[in-house]
Amino acid sequence: MSDNAYTKIFSGSFIIVQLALDRLKSAGINAIIKDESESGRLAGFGASIQGYQELYVSNEELLEAKTIISSVQDELES
Protein backbone atom coordinates (compact mmCIF):
# COMPACT_ATOMS: atom_id res chain seq x y z
CA MET A 1 0.00 0.00 0.00
CA SER A 2 1.58 3.25 -1.09
CA ASP A 3 1.60 5.88 1.66
CA ASN A 4 0.53 8.63 -0.70
CA ALA A 5 -2.28 6.70 -2.43
CA TYR A 6 -4.32 5.91 0.69
CA THR A 7 -5.31 7.87 3.77
CA LYS A 8 -6.33 6.55 7.18
CA ILE A 9 -9.89 7.67 7.67
CA PHE A 10 -10.96 5.84 10.81
CA SER A 11 -9.66 3.63 13.59
CA GLY A 12 -11.37 1.75 16.36
CA SER A 13 -12.72 -1.59 17.50
CA PHE A 14 -13.36 -4.43 15.09
CA ILE A 15 -17.16 -4.06 15.33
CA ILE A 16 -17.25 -0.34 14.58
CA VAL A 17 -14.73 -0.66 11.76
CA GLN A 18 -16.86 -3.41 10.22
CA LEU A 19 -19.92 -1.14 10.40
CA ALA A 20 -18.00 1.69 8.72
CA LEU A 21 -16.61 -0.71 6.10
CA ASP A 22 -20.13 -1.95 5.30
CA ARG A 23 -21.37 1.62 4.79
CA LEU A 24 -18.41 2.45 2.57
CA LYS A 25 -18.94 -0.69 0.47
CA SER A 26 -22.63 0.21 0.08
CA ALA A 27 -21.51 3.52 -1.41
CA GLY A 28 -19.11 1.75 -3.80
CA ILE A 29 -15.98 2.77 -1.90
CA ASN A 30 -13.28 0.14 -1.55
CA ALA A 31 -11.50 0.42 1.78
CA ILE A 32 -8.54 -1.42 3.27
CA ILE A 33 -8.39 -2.63 6.86
CA LYS A 34 -5.09 -2.67 8.69
CA ASP A 35 -5.08 -4.89 11.77
CA GLU A 36 -1.74 -4.88 13.57
CA SER A 37 -2.86 -7.42 16.18
CA GLU A 38 -3.87 -9.94 13.51
CA SER A 39 -0.66 -9.36 11.57
CA GLY A 40 1.34 -9.86 14.76
CA ARG A 41 -0.58 -12.99 15.65
CA LEU A 42 0.08 -14.48 12.23
CA ALA A 43 3.78 -13.66 12.56
CA GLY A 44 3.95 -15.16 16.06
CA PHE A 45 4.13 -11.89 17.99
CA GLY A 46 1.72 -10.42 20.50
CA ALA A 47 -0.06 -7.09 20.16
CA SER A 48 -0.87 -4.59 22.88
CA ILE A 49 -4.37 -3.70 21.66
CA GLN A 50 -6.49 -6.62 20.50
CA GLY A 51 -9.30 -5.90 18.03
CA TYR A 52 -8.04 -2.41 17.12
CA GLN A 53 -8.18 -1.76 13.39
CA GLU A 54 -7.48 1.10 11.02
CA LEU A 55 -9.50 1.87 7.91
CA TYR A 56 -7.84 3.34 4.81
CA VAL A 57 -9.40 4.66 1.62
CA SER A 58 -8.02 5.80 -1.69
CA ASN A 59 -7.31 9.51 -1.85
CA GLU A 60 -9.61 9.65 -4.88
CA GLU A 61 -12.55 8.57 -2.70
CA LEU A 62 -11.51 10.45 0.44
CA LEU A 63 -14.10 13.25 0.44
CA GLU A 64 -17.08 10.94 -0.01
CA ALA A 65 -15.65 8.50 2.53
CA LYS A 66 -15.22 11.26 5.14
CA THR A 67 -18.91 12.11 4.82
CA ILE A 68 -19.89 8.48 5.37
CA ILE A 69 -17.55 8.05 8.34
CA SER A 70 -18.90 11.23 9.90
CA SER A 71 -22.42 9.85 9.52
CA VAL A 72 -21.41 6.57 11.21
CA GLN A 73 -19.79 8.44 14.09
CA ASP A 74 -22.86 10.65 14.55
CA GLU A 75 -25.08 7.56 14.57
CA LEU A 76 -22.96 5.88 17.24
CA GLU A 77 -22.96 8.97 19.47
CA SER A 78 -26.73 9.38 19.49
Side-chain angles (χ1 to χ4, degrees):
M1 168 171 42
S2 173
D3 288 341
N4 56 0
Y6 288 84
T7 300
K8 181 170 83 169
I9 191 160
F10 185 77
S11 58
S13 73
F14 168 81
I15 294 170
I16 297 172
V17 169
Q18 291 301 311
L19 172 64
L21 180 63
D22 183 57
R23 300 284 170 81
L24 291 169
K25 283 184 178 179
S26 293
I29 297 174
N30 294 313
I32 296 173
I33 295 176
K34 183 177 178 183
D35 186 337
E36 293 289 337
S37 63
E38 183 64 10
S39 296
R41 185 190 67 78
L42 292 172
F45 301 104
S48 59
I49 304 175
Q50 295 294 321
Y52 179 82
Q53 297 181 332
E54 297 175 338
L55 197 56
Y56 290 80
V57 296
S58 166
N59 290 337
E60 296 170 358
E61 301 173 312
L62 186 59
L63 292 177
E64 184 179 0
K66 281 185 176 182
T67 302
I68 293 168
I69 293 298
S70 178
S71 171
V72 169
Q73 289 173 324
D74 289 346
E75 181 180 327
L76 292 171
E77 290 175 2
S78 55

